[in-house]
PDB file of all heavy atoms in Angstrom:
ATOM      1  N   ALA A   9      -9.797 -18.136  12.298  1.00  0.00           N
ATOM      2  CA  ALA A   9      -9.325 -18.732  13.552  1.00  0.00           C
ATOM      3  C   ALA A   9      -8.676 -17.727  14.464  1.00  0.00           C
ATOM      4  O   ALA A   9      -8.022 -16.754  14.110  1.00  0.00           O
ATOM      5  CB  ALA A   9      -8.212 -19.812  13.148  1.00  0.00           C
ATOM      6  N   ASN A  10      -8.922 -18.021  15.799  1.00  0.00           N
ATOM      7  CA  ASN A  10      -8.298 -17.177  16.796  1.00  0.00           C
ATOM      8  C   ASN A  10      -8.493 -15.735  16.620  1.00  0.00           C
ATOM      9  O   ASN A  10      -7.564 -14.899  16.672  1.00  0.00           O
ATOM     10  CB  ASN A  10      -6.854 -17.489  16.963  1.00  0.00           C
ATOM     11  CG  ASN A  10      -6.604 -18.939  17.150  1.00  0.00           C
ATOM     12  OD1 ASN A  10      -7.249 -19.579  18.087  1.00  0.00           O
ATOM     13  ND2 ASN A  10      -5.624 -19.507  16.453  1.00  0.00           N
ATOM     14  N   ASP A  33     -20.414   4.100  -4.599  1.00  0.00           N
ATOM     15  CA  ASP A  33     -20.844   3.323  -5.672  1.00  0.00           C
ATOM     16  C   ASP A  33     -19.894   2.161  -6.043  1.00  0.00           C
ATOM     17  O   ASP A  33     -20.231   1.318  -6.893  1.00  0.00           O
ATOM     18  CB  ASP A  33     -20.896   4.244  -6.984  1.00  0.00           C
ATOM     19  CG  ASP A  33     -21.961   5.369  -6.871  1.00  0.00           C
ATOM     20  OD1 ASP A  33     -22.936   5.014  -6.076  1.00  0.00           O
ATOM     21  OD2 ASP A  33     -21.816   6.371  -7.470  1.00  0.00           O
ATOM     22  N   ALA A  55     -10.233 -12.381 -16.651  1.00  0.00           N
ATOM     23  CA  ALA A  55     -11.425 -12.931 -17.449  1.00  0.00           C
ATOM     24  C   ALA A  55     -12.249 -11.782 -18.154  1.00  0.00           C
ATOM     25  O   ALA A  55     -13.134 -12.074 -18.911  1.00  0.00           O
ATOM     26  CB  ALA A  55     -12.381 -13.613 -16.324  1.00  0.00           C
ATOM     27  N   TRP A 158      -3.599  -7.308 -17.456  1.00  0.00           N
ATOM     28  CA  TRP A 158      -3.439  -7.288 -18.947  1.00  0.00           C
ATOM     29  C   TRP A 158      -3.296  -5.765 -19.338  1.00  0.00           C
ATOM     30  O   TRP A 158      -3.544  -4.917 -18.546  1.00  0.00           O
ATOM     31  CB  TRP A 158      -4.614  -7.918 -19.677  1.00  0.00           C
ATOM     32  CG  TRP A 158      -6.010  -7.468 -19.276  1.00  0.00           C
ATOM     33  CD1 TRP A 158      -6.872  -8.176 -18.479  1.00  0.00           C
ATOM     34  CD2 TRP A 158      -6.595  -6.229 -19.626  1.00  0.00           C
ATOM     35  NE1 TRP A 158      -8.009  -7.478 -18.337  1.00  0.00           N
ATOM     36  CE2 TRP A 158      -7.989  -6.305 -19.010  1.00  0.00           C
ATOM     37  CE3 TRP A 158      -6.330  -5.132 -20.417  1.00  0.00           C
ATOM     38  CZ2 TRP A 158      -8.880  -5.321 -19.234  1.00  0.00           C
ATOM     39  CZ3 TRP A 158      -7.281  -4.113 -20.597  1.00  0.00           C
ATOM     40  CH2 TRP A 158      -8.498  -4.179 -19.997  1.00  0.00           C
ATOM     41  N   ILE A 170      -3.211  -3.606  -0.663  1.00  0.00           N
ATOM     42  CA  ILE A 170      -2.819  -2.665   0.408  1.00  0.00           C
ATOM     43  C   ILE A 170      -2.906  -3.350   1.818  1.00  0.00           C
ATOM     44  O   ILE A 170      -4.044  -3.880   2.080  1.00  0.00           O
ATOM     45  CB  ILE A 170      -3.609  -1.392   0.430  1.00  0.00           C
ATOM     46  CG1 ILE A 170      -3.352  -0.647  -0.965  1.00  0.00           C
ATOM     47  CG2 ILE A 170      -3.302  -0.486   1.598  1.00  0.00           C
ATOM     48  CD1 ILE A 170      -4.275   0.486  -1.194  1.00  0.00           C
ATOM     49  N   ASN A 173      -1.271  -1.997   8.990  1.00  0.00           N
ATOM     50  CA  ASN A 173      -1.286  -2.520  10.386  1.00  0.00           C
ATOM     51  C   ASN A 173      -2.094  -1.547  11.215  1.00  0.00           C
ATOM     52  O   ASN A 173      -1.674  -0.267  11.336  1.00  0.00           O
ATOM     53  CB  ASN A 173       0.115  -2.603  10.919  1.00  0.00           C
ATOM     54  CG  ASN A 173       0.910  -3.664  10.215  1.00  0.00           C
ATOM     55  OD1 ASN A 173       0.438  -4.745   9.820  1.00  0.00           O
ATOM     56  ND2 ASN A 173       2.154  -3.378   9.869  1.00  0.00           N
ATOM     57  N   ASN A 222     -11.442   6.760   0.238  1.00  0.00           N
ATOM     58  CA  ASN A 222     -11.833   8.044  -0.224  1.00  0.00           C
ATOM     59  C   ASN A 222     -10.637   8.768  -0.853  1.00  0.00           C
ATOM     60  O   ASN A 222     -10.809   9.491  -1.840  1.00  0.00           O
ATOM     61  CB  ASN A 222     -12.396   8.817   0.981  1.00  0.00           C
ATOM     62  CG  ASN A 222     -13.712   8.403   1.380  1.00  0.00           C
ATOM     63  OD1 ASN A 222     -14.467   7.920   0.609  1.00  0.00           O
ATOM     64  ND2 ASN A 222     -14.075   8.751   2.682  1.00  0.00           N
ATOM     65  N   THR A 255      21.588   3.677   1.619  1.00  0.00           N
ATOM     66  CA  THR A 255      22.252   2.669   0.729  1.00  0.00           C
ATOM     67  C   THR A 255      21.181   1.871  -0.010  1.00  0.00           C
ATOM     68  O   THR A 255      20.059   1.491   0.607  1.00  0.00           O
ATOM     69  CB  THR A 255      23.031   1.648   1.646  1.00  0.00           C
ATOM     70  OG1 THR A 255      23.941   2.513   2.419  1.00  0.00           O
ATOM     71  CG2 THR A 255      23.831   0.713   0.857  1.00  0.00           C
ATOM     72  N   ASP A 280      21.995  11.647  -4.721  1.00  0.00           N
ATOM     73  CA  ASP A 280      23.295  12.342  -4.947  1.00  0.00           C
ATOM     74  C   ASP A 280      24.437  11.517  -4.443  1.00  0.00           C
ATOM     75  O   ASP A 280      24.557  11.277  -3.081  1.00  0.00           O
ATOM     76  CB  ASP A 280      23.234  13.673  -4.208  1.00  0.00           C
ATOM     77  CG  ASP A 280      22.443  14.709  -5.034  1.00  0.00           C
ATOM     78  OD1 ASP A 280      22.193  14.529  -6.211  1.00  0.00           O
ATOM     79  OD2 ASP A 280      22.065  15.761  -4.434  1.00  0.00           O
TER      80      ASP A 280
END
Side-chain angles (χ1 to χ4, degrees):
N10 302 316
D33 296 332
W158 50 259
I170 297 170
N173 296 321
N222 287 337
T255 305
D280 282 344

